[in-house]
């Protein structure tokens, strides 16, 4: 299929994030606010979504360009029926050495063993607060903290370790509960990653003053549980890492707003209906589904993907503050995959 490819800023293509569905069993206010994604919202019909075979074919083609890591996301990836069949197909592809999932965790007790057996390697579970009232408010009253903790326990029992926890810090919403969550994760062998609240999409009403800067998060936790910075695990790691000075574990912050990392961004995103996006904040994607369904050979699909990556110049987070059109239509997070 050809050698590795680089974009206009010399970044190789290494990771693919696959949004396997636009549906979700939560209505997090910062992602799919319930007043917009209500009973009458029209989610994507099945025929419009890529089949597992179509997704696996794209992964095989991209593996030829150097893609090594796959992350399944959404929407809530576990609401897609028989997701383990997709994992099995991807795990069989030469060159793919990592398959991970990001999930809200609620369906893990039912699903995790089949996913593990199919070849899933890593699990990231989102949990914004241990305070049940705060958590319910954030997820649109769809689930209790205990359901997520049960999901975490199920993943631990299935042998996943270490498990990462994603937590979006929002000022005035959950920032008074950050230290509690850090303590809980440390005590339970979980690697917590706080994510700065981002201006993805256009529907969540994002405001800069709701962002809790990563530095402040680290200062607040460090004041109670002393921390020391540590080196990234690999080039392009998005989290800044810290270890607890007493050796009891590590924590990270993903400073997408205050300390952007576009320079090492090697990610491509695939939407449920088969469009690829070169940036989380992209305005427009490139469609692959019609090409796939037209009977095109792998070379034609590879050419389109190569063309998109080689033309890529995205560095939205680095230039955010100098942009004047922040109101431009961006694609929503649950659609493009977080
Ligand atoms: N439903 C799954 C979940 O919540 O883990 C996977 C999809 S979700 C879009 C992926 C991640 O994006 C979650 O950890 C979520 O908290 C995060 N996220 C969603 N909207 C965000 C925003 N506006 N800023 C920062 N992170 C966000
Ligand atoms: Fe669903 Fe995840 Fe978005 Fe929350 S963040 S609404 S769980 S897709
Ligand atoms: Fe990558 Fe775009 Fe995020 Fe920069 S803003 S790190 S290019 S996804």
């Amino acid at each position: 299929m050809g050698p590795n490819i680089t974009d206009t800023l010399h970044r190789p293509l290494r990771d693919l994030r696959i949004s396997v569905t636009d549906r979700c069993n939560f209505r997090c206010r910062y992602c799919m606010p319930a007043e917009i994604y209500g009973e009458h919202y029209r989610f994507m019909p099945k025929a419009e979504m890529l089949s597992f075979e179509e997704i696996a074919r794209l992964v095989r083609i991209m593996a030829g360009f150097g893609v090594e890591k796959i992350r399944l996301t959404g929407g809530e990836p576990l609401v897609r029926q028989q997701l383990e069949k997709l994992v099995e197909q991807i795990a069989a592809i030469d060159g793919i050495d990592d398959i991970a999932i990001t999930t809200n965790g609620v369906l893990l007790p039912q699903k995790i063993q089949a996913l593990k057996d199919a070849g899933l390697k890593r699990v990231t579970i989102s949990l914004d607060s241990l305070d049940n009232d705060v958590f319910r408010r954030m997820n649109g009253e769809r689930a209790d903290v205990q359901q997520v903790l049960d999901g975490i326990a199920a993943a631990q029992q299935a042998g996943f370790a270490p498990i990462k926890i994603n937590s979006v810090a929002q000022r005035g919403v959950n920032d008074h509960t950050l230290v509690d969550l850090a303590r809980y994760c440390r005590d339970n062998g979980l690697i917590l990653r706080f994510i700065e609240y981002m201006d993805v999409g256009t529907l969540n009403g994002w405001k800069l003053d709701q962002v809790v800067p990563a530095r402040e998060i680290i200062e607040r936790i460090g004041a109670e549980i002393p921390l020391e910075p540590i080196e990234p695990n690999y080039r392009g790691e998005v989290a800044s890492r810290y270890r607890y000075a007493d050796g009891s574990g590590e924590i990270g912050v993903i400073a997408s707003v205050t300390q952007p990392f576009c320079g090492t961004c090697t990610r491509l995103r695939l939407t449920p209906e088969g469009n690829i996006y070169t940036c989380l904040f992209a305005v427009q994607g490139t469609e692959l589904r019609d090409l796939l369904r037209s009977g095109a050979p792998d070379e034609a699909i590879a050419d389109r993907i190569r063309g998109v990556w080689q033309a890529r110049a995205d560095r939205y987070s680095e230039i955010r503050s100098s942009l004047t059109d922040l109101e431009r239509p961006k694609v929503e997070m649950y659609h493009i995959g977080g």
Side-chain angles (χ1 to χ4, degrees), residues 4 16-17 57 68 72 81 93 100 119 126-127 162 182 193 196-197 199 211 251 285 296 311 326 332:
N4 293 352
L16 178 66
R17 301 196 147 216
R57 184 175 175 205
E68 298 163 342
L72 303 176
Q81 302 289 312
I93 296 171
S126 302
L127 177 57
R193 297 270 192 253
E196 286 179 347
Y197 177 39
D199 51 335
V211 177
I251 186 169
L326 286 178
E332 300 301 325

Side-chain angles (χ1 to χ4, degrees), residues 135-317:
F135 182 58
R136 287 190 66 88
R137 216 172 300 136
M138 290 182 82
N139 69 38
E141 307 286 335
R142 297 302 164 109
D144 288 321
V145 169
Q146 190 56 47
Q147 291 172 269
V148 182
L149 299 184
D150 291 346
I152 295 172
Q156 285 177 322
Q157 272 155 23
F160 287 92
I163 292 170
K164 284 192 186 143
I165 304 295
N166 269 3
S167 190
V168 177
Q170 244 184 311
R171 194 176 304 284
V173 178
N174 66 338
D175 61 328
H176 58 296
T177 68
L178 304 184
V179 178
D180 284 351
L181 185 60
R183 254 186 237 289
Y184 179 87
C185 290
R186 185 193 61 164
D187 294 346
N188 289 280
L190 303 163
I191 300 183
L192 179 58
R193 297 270 192 253
F194 281 112
I195 310 175
E196 286 179 347
Y197 177 39
M198 291 185 283
D199 51 335
V200 241
T202 48
L203 302 173
N204 59 13
W206 183 87
K207 294 203 179 59
L208 186 59
D209 61 13
Q210 294 175 317
V211 177
V212 188
R215 185 178 303 145
E216 181 184 328
I217 297 175
I218 288 302
E219 279 167 10
R220 281 163 73 169
I221 294 168
E224 307 230 5
I225 330 172
L227 292 170
E228 297 163 351
I230 43 179
E231 291 299 307
N233 281 318
Y234 52 87
R235 186 184 132 83
E237 185 170 43
V238 297
S240 307
R241 301 169 61 215
Y242 294 80
R243 95 175 124 230
Y244 293 113
D246 65 1
S248 58
E250 70 165 270
I251 186 169
V253 277
I254 303 183
S256 359
V257 178
T258 61
Q259 297 158 47
F261 35 77
C262 301
T264 55
C265 180
T266 55
R267 301 169 171 190
L268 186 65
R269 294 179 148 86
L270 176 65
T271 64
E273 76 274 46
N275 296 332
I276 47 174
Y277 284 82
T278 53
C279 177
L280 190 50
F281 300 92
V283 177
Q284 209 165 13
T286 300
E287 87 84 33
L288 297 177
R289 186 185 64 204
D290 289 351
L291 190 63
L292 280 167
R293 293 185 182 173
S294 71
D298 283 1
E299 283 68 28
I301 298 165
D303 283 348
R304 184 167 296 177
I305 298 169
R306 187 191 297 107
V308 166
W309 192 263
Q310 288 179 336
R312 178 182 192 245
D314 304 275
R315 43 193 286 268
Y316 177 86
S317 286

Side-chain angles (χ1 to χ4, degrees), residues 23-28 30-32 74-76 104 126 334:
R23 286 160 213 260
C24 187
N25 45 357
F26 281 18
R27 286 292 177 276
C28 303
Y30 54 64
C31 180
M32 299 177 74
E76 173 46 44
N104 62 35
S126 302
Y334 70 93

Side-chain angles (χ1 to χ4, degrees), residues 30-209:
Y30 54 64
C31 180
M32 299 177 74
E35 60 273 18
I36 293 163
Y37 300 94
E39 254 174 72
H40 302 294
Y41 186 82
R42 180 181 171 273
F43 286 97
M44 204 177 291
K46 186 146 193 249
E48 287 179 21
M49 297 200 287
L50 292 189
S51 67
F52 291 160
E53 288 66 29
E54 288 169 328
I55 295 174
R57 184 175 175 205
L58 292 178
V59 172
R60 200 171 302 114
I61 292 168
M62 291 189 207
F65 288 139
V67 166
E68 298 163 342
K69 291 167 69 170
I70 302 294
R71 181 168 294 273
L72 303 176
T73 177
E76 173 46 44
L78 298 183
V79 305
R80 177 102 186 227
Q81 302 289 312
Q82 299 193 299
L83 188 67
E84 63 278 8
K85 300 230 157 106
L86 176 63
V87 171
E88 198 176 311
Q89 291 185 35
I90 293 174
I93 296 171
D94 273 352
I96 301 300
D97 56 34
D98 190 19
I99 311 176
I101 193 168
T102 303
T103 169
N104 62 35
V106 164
L107 295 171
L108 279 174
Q110 292 138 258
K111 300 273 192 173
I112 193 66
Q113 194 58 50
L115 290 166
K116 167 110 205 249
D117 295 344
L120 186 71
K121 291 257 175 63
R122 293 188 301 126
V123 180
T124 299
I125 299 166
S126 302
L127 177 57
D128 293 332
S129 182
L130 284 174
D131 179 313
N132 203 45
D133 292 338
V134 172
F135 182 58
R136 287 190 66 88
R137 216 172 300 136
M138 290 182 82
N139 69 38
E141 307 286 335
R142 297 302 164 109
D144 288 321
V145 169
Q146 190 56 47
Q147 291 172 269
V148 182
L149 299 184
D150 291 346
I152 295 172
Q156 285 177 322
Q157 272 155 23
F160 287 92
I163 292 170
K164 284 192 186 143
I165 304 295
N166 269 3
S167 190
V168 177
Q170 244 184 311
R171 194 176 304 284
V173 178
N174 66 338
D175 61 328
H176 58 296
T177 68
L178 304 184
V179 178
D180 284 351
L181 185 60
R183 254 186 237 289
Y184 179 87
C185 290
R186 185 193 61 164
D187 294 346
N188 289 280
L190 303 163
I191 300 183
L192 179 58
R193 297 270 192 253
F194 281 112
I195 310 175
E196 286 179 347
Y197 177 39
M198 291 185 283
D199 51 335
V200 241
T202 48
L203 302 173
N204 59 13
W206 183 87
K207 294 203 179 59
L208 186 59
D209 61 13

